[in-house]
Amino acid sequence: MNQEITVRAREPEDAADVAELLNQPRAVWGALQTPFTSIEERRKRMASLPAGHTNFVAVVEGKVIGTLGLNRLEGRRSHVGTIGMAVHDAFAGRGAGSALMAAAVEQADRWLNLTRLELNVYADNARAIALYERFGFEREGLFRAFAWRDGAYADSVAMARLRPF
């Protein structure tokens, strides 16, 4: 059964669903999040984001199943946006990541005039790397021992997409 995925702006009332999805084991494993983050802590983080941050959620039947943040950098790097995203474990592989990436790329290209999109992804997250490559991201380098994850250091692949001119 296919469920329709809608992408929209993240709202403050999404905090409980966002906290739930970011506390899922696979989401914690694949993102720079720590487990057991409370809804209140998630609300505080969502409320304190800097200007230039665009946040999307993927929704199925009223429930947030994915989130993506697009952050425009400043100064001499104001042509660059950085991306971070996660999908609820129960909905992984069902199109939420693709829907969120499509919305972010459209926002970056058509409305923010960003030339470059950047992200980091754990080197062992083949599914995410394949998704990013489908959207035109290319591997630019490897960060060894990038982050502490599940009791060991994990490497990260730096990826970027340059907007076609």
Side-chain angles (χ1 to χ4, degrees), residues 15-36:
D17 282 352
V18 171
E20 178 188 332
L21 86 85
L22 289 175
N23 282 326
Q24 296 293 304
R26 184 80 182 168
V28 169
W29 177 87
L32 285 172
Q33 304 294 322
T34 53
F36 309 110

Side-chain angles (χ1 to χ4, degrees), residues 93-106:
R94 297 186 187 181
S98 292
L100 287 164
M101 285 300 298
V105 167
E106 179 178 358

Side-chain angles (χ1 to χ4, degrees), residues 105-114 163:
V105 167
E106 179 178 358
Q107 181 84 350
D109 287 356
R110 297 185 62 199
W111 298 102
L112 300 178
N113 195 28
L114 295 176
R163 184 179 70 216

Side-chain angles (χ1 to χ4, degrees), residues 5-11 14 17-22 24 27 46 55-60 62-69 84-92 95-101:
I5 298 169
T6 303
V7 175
R8 62 167 172 78
R10 190 177 71 197
E11 300 291 345
D14 294 328
D17 282 352
V18 171
E20 178 188 332
L21 86 85
L22 289 175
Q24 296 293 304
M46 288 169 57
N55 294 286
F56 305 90
V57 291
V59 180
V60 169
K63 181 170 183 60
V64 173
I65 61 158
T67 184
L68 182 147
M85 69 177 291
V87 174
H88 193 291
D89 287 11
F91 292 89
S98 292
L100 287 164
M101 285 300 298

